[in-house]
Amino acid sequence: QVQLVESGGGLVQAGGSLRLSCAASGTIFSTNIMGWYRQNPGKARELVASITSGGSTNYADSVKDRFTISRDNAKNTVYLQMNGLKPEDSAVYYCNYNRYTYDVWGQGTQVTVSS
C-alpha cells in the first residue's frame, strides 16, 4: 500500500506563491504517475498537473506558465510550485499516486488566495 502526506497549503494574497509537497511512503513502484488535483465544494475534482516517473508533465490550461510540478524519485516526493496565484486557484488540493488501476489520494491541503 501507498500512503501520501501533503503539506504546504495556506493563505496567500493574489499574485503570491506557495509550494505544495507530497511525500509517498509504502510500496512505491518505480513506474508511476503522481499528480495534483483540486476541488471546491459542489464541484468535480480537476487535474492541476501530473508528472510521470520519467519526468513527463501535463498541466491544466488554467495553470500553465504559472505552476510547475516536479518530483524527487529518491525521496518519493512530488512538488507543486504555484506562482502568480489567483483567487480562482483557491481550493483543496489533493495529491494522487497512480499506477495502472491503483489510485491513492492524500488527505488534501487547503489553498486560499485572497484578492
Side-chain angles (χ1 to χ4, degrees):
Q1 281 192 330
V2 173
Q3 296 81 40
L4 303 174
V5 177
E6 300 136 335
S7 60
L11 173 65
V12 66
Q13 288 189 332
S17 299
L18 283 174
R19 188 192 195 207
L20 306 183
S21 299
C22 173
S25 61
T27 305
I28 309 295
F29 289 92
S30 59
T31 303
N32 60 70
I33 301 173
M34 295 189 72
W36 290 95
Y37 291 71
R38 64 188 182 189
Q39 187 173 26
N40 280 303
K43 294 191 175 182
R45 191 170 294 186
E46 62 176 3
L47 173 70
V48 176
S50 64
I51 184 167
T52 69
S53 46
S56 296
T57 59
N58 182 43
Y59 293 92
D61 288 343
S62 59
V63 306
K64 281 181 181 176
D65 301 324
R66 297 189 298 122
F67 292 9
T68 302
I69 191 169
S70 61
R71 63 188 291 166
D72 184 334
N73 289 333
K75 296 181 179 179
N76 293 320
T77 300
V78 64
Y79 306 95
L80 185 68
Q81 178 66 44
M82 304 185 292
N83 299 327
L85 282 161
K86 304 176 181 180
E88 52 263 42
D89 294 317
S90 297
V92 177
Y93 282 68
Y94 295 91
C95 180
N96 174 263
Y97 170 95
N98 174 267
R99 177 178 164 82
Y100 303 116
T101 60
Y102 182 68
D103 250 340
V104 177
W105 295 93
Q107 80 281 2
T109 184
Q110 178 72 47
V111 171
T112 303
V113 184
S114 62
S115 57

